[in-house]
Amino acid sequence: MKETAEVEARHQGGTPTDYRLLVPREWFRIDLMQERWRGQLKTFVEQQAEGRRVSAELTQNVWAALRNTAEAGRARGAMEFFLLTTSRDGGLPASLLVSLVPLGETPADPHEFAAWLEARELEDRMRQHVSVVNLPAGTAVRVVGPATLSVHVLVPGGTGYLTLSFSAPFTGMSGPMGRLCDAIACSLRWVM
């Protein structure tokens, strides 16, 4: 409880103007705030297919799945999309979608938010573990499933949650990929 109070006290200086996140340089960054994001995504897909025996159909399917993810994310406040190919056969890459989720029906208190997510999980019968964790950037709700990890960090000033949504369809969230995703989440810092 003392750690939570110290973290909260450090962030009561107001609302941040930006955030910083350390993502390994092997991850391809797509800026979803720019209109050229589709071209950036196409470049990534083409680079991953180049020099591999990847069928045109698989390349098209990966392009469509990633484009749909980016478009759905943009509709929900996504700002950045990071991709890391962990598959040698040109399949879906590991990814990170960074979104700003304003408070609405989402509870402002991270503990209430975690309880709300657990209730939704029971309704959807999803196999996910929900917990509240303290990160250097503040209190966060961590939701982990077999191939996904979402970290919802309360933005100082109570404007919403910065959500880091990781997906690792081939490696899953256990082992090195899960540790890498947690390390990326722990690197989050606010710019005041």
Side-chain angles (χ1 to χ4, degrees), residues 39-57:
Q40 292 174 334
L41 184 57
K42 187 101 170 124
T43 297
F44 172 81
V45 171
E46 289 171 356
Q47 285 177 353
Q48 297 310 307
E50 193 174 293
R52 297 179 181 170
R53 294 182 184 175
V54 178
S55 71
E57 181 181 3

Side-chain angles (χ1 to χ4, degrees), residues 66 84 86-87 91-95 146-148 166-173 177:
L66 293 175
L84 172 68
T86 54
S87 167
L92 283 175
S95 64
T148 61
F166 297 93
S167 175
F170 290 104
T171 61
M173 279 301 149
M177 183 57 76

Side-chain angles (χ1 to χ4, degrees), residues 16-35:
T17 58
D18 204 354
Y19 65 91
R20 299 278 185 257
L21 193 63
L22 297 176
V23 179
R25 68 177 67 146
E26 295 85 23
W27 291 61
F28 189 93
R29 179 183 179 269
I30 298 170
D31 184 349
L32 295 176
M33 303 297 287
Q34 303 291 326
E35 287 304 315

